[in-house]
Amino acid sequence: MGYVDSVLEEVTAKNPSEPEFIQAVNEVLESLRPVIEANETKYKKEALLERLVNPERQIKFRVPWVDDNGQVQVNTGYRVQFNGAIGPYKGGLRFHPSVNLGIIKFLGFEQTFKNSLTGLPIGGGKGGSDFDPKGKSDREVMAFCQSFMTELCKYIGPDTDVPAGDIGVGAREIGYLFGQYKRIRSAYEGVLTGKGLSYGGSLARKEATGYGLLYLTQELLNLNGIEIEGKTAIVSGSGNVAIYAIEKACHLGVKCLTCSDSTGWIYDEEGIDIELLKEVKEVKRARLTEYAKARPSAVYHEGRGVWGIKADIALPCATQNELFIEDAKELVKNGVTVVAEGANMPTTIEATKYLMDHQVIFAPGKAANAGGVATSALEMTQNSERLSWTFEEVDQKLQTIMINITRTMDKAAKKYKHPGNYVLGANIAGFEKVADAMSFQGIV
Ligand code: NDP
């Protein structure tokens, strides 16, 4: 049995209750075959793949807090410090009832390659909790965040591990987490990114993942000789990534026809009204039914359905495994040109393969949504310098980073004789730097 196959077999056997982690490792290792096979003796001797798929550290802790009725609630907190070969661990915190160790491991594993691809010195990590901020009062969210950080603060720091937001962790949660860290550690330092502008945040961080997704999509279309202006797009999700993807799409002359949340979706034939969407989701924290009520051109549907609408560009921006093989068939039937993942692993392996087999340009999340973490790294730099850059400066750097990522993965795909296979290109380009750093640092 070859080296890649034996490691895949071991990961599957050792992590039976972690399907998302097994899926992510499979997707990455399968596409690394050309580079692993070219260096098999060296990597095998160093057990490089075994070290790559085993997190450096996993922290799991109890998070007790008191709800508005005086009842004590108990959640579980996680931080997985996956790979610190090229820099301090960096990756978001997710608060969602579906969170478990396997989900955090899959995200931390992916994060390692994504962070490497940005070209910035950041290692891979991820964390979170099964706490659901939805429907909780601000006081309950604060009580939870304070209890979570009371434990987490023992393991993080500006030069060791710098968390950020993810699903369920936005400006409000980051504020409470930062406040508690500062209080316990008596240190005003850049330990979290995604902070508010009044206390060390970076301009354009909020917009970065969505904007970056569109910069990469535009560059990919350019590489394929296609102009983005005048195209139509279908988008899933209506959170941070989806909102700013839609906003930048509008700036670039793309009409976005859909958005969604976990209960339903909107079809707006006139194009999503971004100001109204922000009002509903960011200000009122309401459901998408409120959007439809305020907008005559919009229709609200219960359940799933975004991928059945005909458009040139598809941007899954909600969560993992939200675009299945049936959806991929529908997209191909409707003549989609490009699918770029705003979310982490939203497309199943089967659906990804189908899209690529049918000549759809496919941009994997670890490249397409890397603008968020890249701008987080820019926030770390500003915190270290004790300076704030202008929106235009940060946005310009973000554009340069996304264009570089696009060209890097394109080049790697061509080098390994799979031109246009951006999954392989992104994985190999991300892997090479991490593997090199791991080899130089000895057996740690
Ligand atoms: P938000 O919490 O802001 O928004 C998530 C959106 O997805 C909401 O519309 C939510 O609907 C929907 N959603 C969440 N879970 C499900 C589900 N199980 N089924 C259907 N819809 C769901 O998160 P973000 O926008 O920050 O993150 C979205 C994705 O992007 C995630 O995969 C995240 O890991 C990834 N990502 C985020 C980055 C960032 O900077 N924020 C950076 C890189 C990747 P509802 O409100 O009903 O729950």
Side-chain angles (χ1 to χ4, degrees):
M1 188 186 290
Y3 184 35
V4 169
D5 292 308
S6 70
V7 173
L8 281 176
E9 197 175 276
E10 195 178 315
V11 168
T12 308
K14 280 193 174 167
N15 305 279
S17 58
E18 298 175 357
E20 293 86 0
F21 178 58
I22 293 172
Q23 180 183 344
V25 172
N26 257 286
E27 187 253 319
V28 171
L29 294 198
E30 281 298 341
S31 63
L32 292 180
R33 276 184 197 277
V35 66
I36 305 286
E37 280 161 12
N39 300 279
E40 184 152 331
T41 313
K42 172 180 156 63
Y43 288 160
K44 210 168 164 178
K45 182 150 191 281
E46 293 179 2
L48 193 110
L49 290 187
E50 289 86 338
R51 288 189 287 142
L52 196 71
V53 299
N54 272 294
E56 289 177 17
R57 198 168 296 107
Q58 302 180 170
I59 301 144
K60 182 175 176 190
F61 49 95
R62 184 174 71 201
V63 190
W65 57 282
V66 182
D67 72 16
D68 285 347
N69 298 319
Q71 175 64 49
V72 175
Q73 302 286 343
V74 181
N75 288 97
T76 305
Y78 304 90
R79 185 73 184 165
V80 174
Q81 298 177 331
F82 218 108
N83 191 305
I86 64 168
Y89 310 107
K90 182 94 199 78
L93 297 171
R94 176 176 293 192
F95 292 169
H96 192 270
S98 64
V99 163
N100 57 42
L101 184 60
I103 300 254
I104 299 298
K105 277 172 66 182
F106 121 63
L107 291 164
F109 181 71
E110 288 279 301
Q111 193 82 44
T112 303
F113 302 94
K114 179 190 307 190
N115 293 1
S116 167
L117 260 184
T118 64
L120 301 166
I122 38 179
K126 198 82 189 187
S129 174
D130 56 358
F131 172 74
D132 187 358
K134 232 180 269 163
K136 304 285 190 301
S137 68
D138 286 351
R139 195 210 62 80
E140 288 176 319
V141 171
M142 180 172 74
F144 173 81
C145 288
Q146 291 181 340
S147 180
F148 183 87
M149 183 51 88
T150 301
E151 188 60 28
L152 185 70
C153 76
K154 299 168 189 168
Y155 312 102
I156 61 174
D159 294 316
T160 49
D161 184 352
V162 184
D166 189 74
I167 291 179
V169 180
R172 174 181 60 171
E173 290 76 15
I174 293 288
Y176 294 145
L177 291 163
F178 182 76
Q180 185 73 348
Y181 177 90
K182 180 171 62 76
R183 181 187 189 195
I184 297 180
R185 299 278 291 258
S186 290
Y188 205 108
E189 51 195 14
V191 70
L192 289 161
T193 57
K195 298 187 291 299
L197 295 176
S198 56
Y199 65 96
S202 173
L203 284 160
R205 171 60 188 93
K206 183 175 66 174
E207 293 83 356
T209 308
Y211 278 24
L213 175 66
L214 266 294
Y215 293 144
L216 176 133
T217 305
Q218 183 181 29
E219 181 64 11
L220 265 185
L221 288 173
N222 280 345
L223 286 177
N224 286 275
I226 304 166
E227 176 65 44
I228 196 165
E229 196 182 343
K231 296 283 181 287
T232 51
I234 41 180
V235 180
S236 67
S238 51
N240 174 262
V241 179
I243 288 175
Y244 292 95
I246 294 172
E247 182 167 278
K248 182 49 70 178
C250 293
H251 295 168
L252 297 176
V254 174
K255 186 176 179 184
C256 295
L257 299 170
T258 66
C259 63
S260 68
D261 62 20
S262 49
T263 45
W265 61 285
I266 292 285
Y267 173 65
D268 190 337
E269 61 181 3
E270 305 241 307
I272 298 291
D273 176 338
I274 187 64
E275 292 313 320
L276 176 59
L277 184 64
K278 283 187 189 174
E279 172 72 18
V280 170
K281 284 293 170 183
E282 293 187 332
V283 181
K284 294 187 180 151
R285 294 180 185 271
R287 311 308 300 167
L288 283 175
T289 41
E290 296 302 310
Y291 177 95
K293 271 190 211 154
R295 179 101 170 144
S297 57
V299 185
Y300 176 80
H301 301 269
E302 288 285 333
R304 304 177 68 248
V306 163
W307 312 125
I309 301 295
K310 185 174 166 56
D312 306 302
I313 302 171
L315 304 172
C317 296
T319 191
Q320 67 273 359
N321 293 331
E322 52 151 325
L323 198 163
F324 302 97
I325 182 74
E326 314 81 64
D327 304 317
K329 287 183 180 164
E330 197 74 9
L331 289 170
V332 168
K333 200 178 81 197
N334 286 332
V336 75
T337 306
V338 55
V339 176
E341 296 185 318
N344 284 311
M345 209 169 74
T347 318
T348 62
I349 291 182
E350 221 188 351
T352 303
K353 187 168 179 320
Y354 187 87
L355 291 168
M356 286 170 44
D357 286 348
H358 288 80
Q359 283 69 54
V360 174
I361 303 169
F362 182 84
K366 64 172 70 66
N369 68 35
V373 74
T375 308
S376 276
L378 300 179
E379 183 175 332
M380 287 166 73
T381 307
Q382 293 169 77
N383 291 164
S384 299
E385 290 184 338
R386 303 209 185 279
L387 287 175
S388 296
W389 302 336
T390 63
F391 188 98
E392 289 69 28
E393 268 178 284
V394 180
D395 190 37
Q396 188 54 52
K397 288 187 201 312
L398 170 65
Q399 281 186 53
T400 306
I401 291 168
M402 297 314 293
I403 289 172
N404 284 342
I405 292 176
T406 315
R407 293 186 185 162
T408 304
M409 68 180 183
D410 184 58
K411 212 164 116 192
K414 286 180 178 145
K415 179 176 161 193
Y416 286 92
K417 312 240 174 320
H418 290 271
N421 184 337
Y422 300 120
V423 172
L424 179 139
N427 284 334
I428 290 185
F431 167 80
E432 282 185 327
K433 185 174 170 193
V434 175
D436 196 55
M438 286 173 74
S439 284
F440 272 117
Q441 291 172 25
I443 306 310
V444 293

